[in-house]
Amino acid sequence: VLAAGLAGRQKARLQVFAFSSGNIYPFVPIDSGGATESTLPEPVGEYAMSGLGRERMWDYASHAYGARVLHYRLNYAVELRYGVILDVANKVWNGETIDVSMGHANCVWQGYANSVALQCFALASTPPAILNVTGLERISIRELATCMGELLGKQPIITGTEAPTALLSNAKKCHETFGDSDVP
């Protein structure tokens, strides 16, 4: 948070693309469509709080020094080496228990997230703009584990009951601005 504050003083006249996180949002009902850019933050935990703290430092730089800022709120980027899908697949493969209490997520292919990031500088503004970046689909962790089990020839070990809420973001604005990912 301090680093963002110090950088904000130094980069006041630039367009700033600030990586943030959808983790700053509250858990929302799974059928709500996800938190939008206008949803007020309610961070849970230190990671989410530090993300909001960084945003607040850039907000201050925008207000005090005129910096043009975009808060790029990324949720669950995935690719073949990391992410929710690989985490679930590894647990199925290794015979580990998969807790589905946080039963839903939305993911975005890392290549799409990178492509959007490279195009976002023009969206920076004073006051700061916000862009949610994730996939449009809501993934059921239980269904993902079951599918991975079928593909891997293993029975997933699932525990827990899905909560009625989850950490989901609505990225409709992103997809309307930049188009959809080639990899759903």
Side-chain angles (χ1 to χ4, degrees), residues 8 17 34 37 58 72 84 96 98 113 126 129 136 143 152 163-164 166 168:
F17 169 85
E37 287 84 354
W58 286 114
Y72 179 95
V84 173
E96 298 173 23
I98 300 160
T126 303
L136 295 173
E143 290 174 14
L152 298 170
L168 299 168

Side-chain angles (χ1 to χ4, degrees), residues 105-118:
N106 41 14
C107 300
V108 65
W109 186 247
Q110 183 64 55
Y112 177 78
N114 291 344
S115 174
V116 168
L118 293 171

